[in-house]
Amino acid sequence: MSKGKRPTTVTPIAPALEVDDASAVDWSDSADVVVVGWGAAGACAAIEARSAGASVRVIDRFEGGGASALSGGVVYAGGGTPYQTQAGFKDTPDAMADYLRHEVNGVVSDTTLQKFCDDSVANLAWLEAQGARFAATMPDHKTSYPPEGKFLYYSGNEVVPVCRGERGAPAPRGHRAVAKGQSGATLYAALRDATLRAGAVAITQASVRRLVRQRSADSQPGAVLGVEIWELPPGDPATLRHAALNRQVARWRTFRPGKAAACRVEAAQIEQQAAQPRFIRALRGVVLSTGGFIYNPELVKANAPHTRRGWPIGGAGCDGSGLRLGQSAGAATQALNNVSAWRFITPPSVWPKGVVVNAAGERFCNEQVYGATLGHELVDKHGGRGWLVLDGKLRKQAMRQCLFGGLWAFQSLPALAMMLFSAKKAATPEALAARIQADPVTLRASLDSASAAARGEHHDAFGKSPDMRHDLGRGPYYALDISIGSPTFPLAVLTLGGLVLDESNGQVLDAAGQRIGGLFAAGRAAIGLPSSRYISGLSLADCVFSGRRAGRAAMAA
């Protein structure tokens, strides 16, 4: 590494190796289907390909899991799941699709959306067949993540009046896998074990750095024949250190992000120094399922610089390697500028009864919406600067919920710190405006309008439910900084865009809309259901839907 050059954790990707035919390469191994990335999408692709009779190699830069293992383990499912029924809710695939159109915004076709909803009950049952478990217990309040012992909840905007759709009452569709503690690791462990039981061969601590493709003799894109991997030597001390570093990244990423970043750098240096190359032939197809690119600073800077002050979330392998591998074969991409910004203000469940305002003091959103919806409005439309305004009554209720409401530490501690140590306090809206450098007339008008709606004098300007409105007519007032980059209240970000696919089978398309032979993609490496607006559980549900689709199609290629 040259002096002064910032160390990189990004997998180096080389241009595709073009050959006249497969015999030109000295292959060390072969399989019908080669899956690149062993998170939820890769596991589902590998299991499905094996069930179709394919031999499978699944390759992971670390030991598997990726962002899926670090997630909350929530699967967005509906249409009448057993757990919805047990909890007393009626749901249909059509009602589910009607709601999801508000979130998908045409990023996939209506045909694909409807199939996703039609298949939802069966896909949840398929997950259970792999060893995952779900339950019907629900929390008492809307929340960003259910408390211990609760596993079914409204994980998006289903209860927000303007988002409900037209087909019946809202139904909870967030299905958290049953686990002690957060559920991502438990859900992924079931998929990992099912992958191995199915007979797929896992190659871990190995990164794919280049595709091998047949040289094209006409206008058709050359088919992908296999991959070049760089693998750490099994059992070597450096390899064991590499595995330990990735476990430390998972351990420290929330509470000591600086330490986690240093571990990622050291792990990448081990890869660069100790990994050895070899080629693996894909007789039928390669599936790219490596996750997003939130840990690729250059890609984030080029596509979504306005989100760089956010707190990146994902696995250490979310560096866009699958995206860049696809591009090396001429693949088209879409929505790379779409980064989901998570500004959750619930729990505490009473916080959304306050008012969110931008830097000028203007109210800009319905406070009860899902955190990524609020984050989109804040970051993409209002420069990333905003405040949540509470009165003394709401603050007291929120403090009680944080202390005695059974919240997770990652929910209660930042909220308490905000209210106790960094809130701006004032007796009047005008005095509060001076403290947050907002326009006093605008802030007064924002609070007065919301309060009048709470008193029933007119409709709420943003369609807030009557039970979530609150009269802010009396101080004292407290302003909490909800801006991106807030040191007390981090705002999480993750990427949503990816490779463009033929939605019928998950095959990767080039810029001319032609299928690239032998190349498929799944999960957040590709365009899918969550690529427009993120809601909790939709990414993992899409991993199952798109992973199974790609695994089947790769075997049939």
Side-chain angles (χ1 to χ4, degrees), residues 40-89:
C44 293
I47 295 166
E48 196 71 12
R50 280 294 298 146
S51 70
S55 57
V56 175
R57 302 291 182 271
V58 57
I59 303 165
D60 196 85
R61 182 180 173 187
F62 297 100
E63 294 177 290
S68 301
L70 301 176
S71 75
V74 176
V75 178
Y76 195 88
T81 72
Y83 309 102
Q84 291 178 311
T85 302
Q86 289 175 35
F89 294 91

Side-chain angles (χ1 to χ4, degrees), residues 357-362 385 387 389 424-447 477-479:
V357 298
N358 60 19
E362 177 186 12
R385 294 184 59 208
W387 301 86
V389 180
K424 306 292 186 182
K425 180 181 178 181
T428 67
E430 290 76 14
L432 188 67
R435 296 216 61 191
I436 64 175
Q437 299 181 327
D439 178 68
V441 174
T442 301
L443 182 60
R444 164 66 77 172
S446 296
L447 300 186
Y477 298 97
Y478 299 84

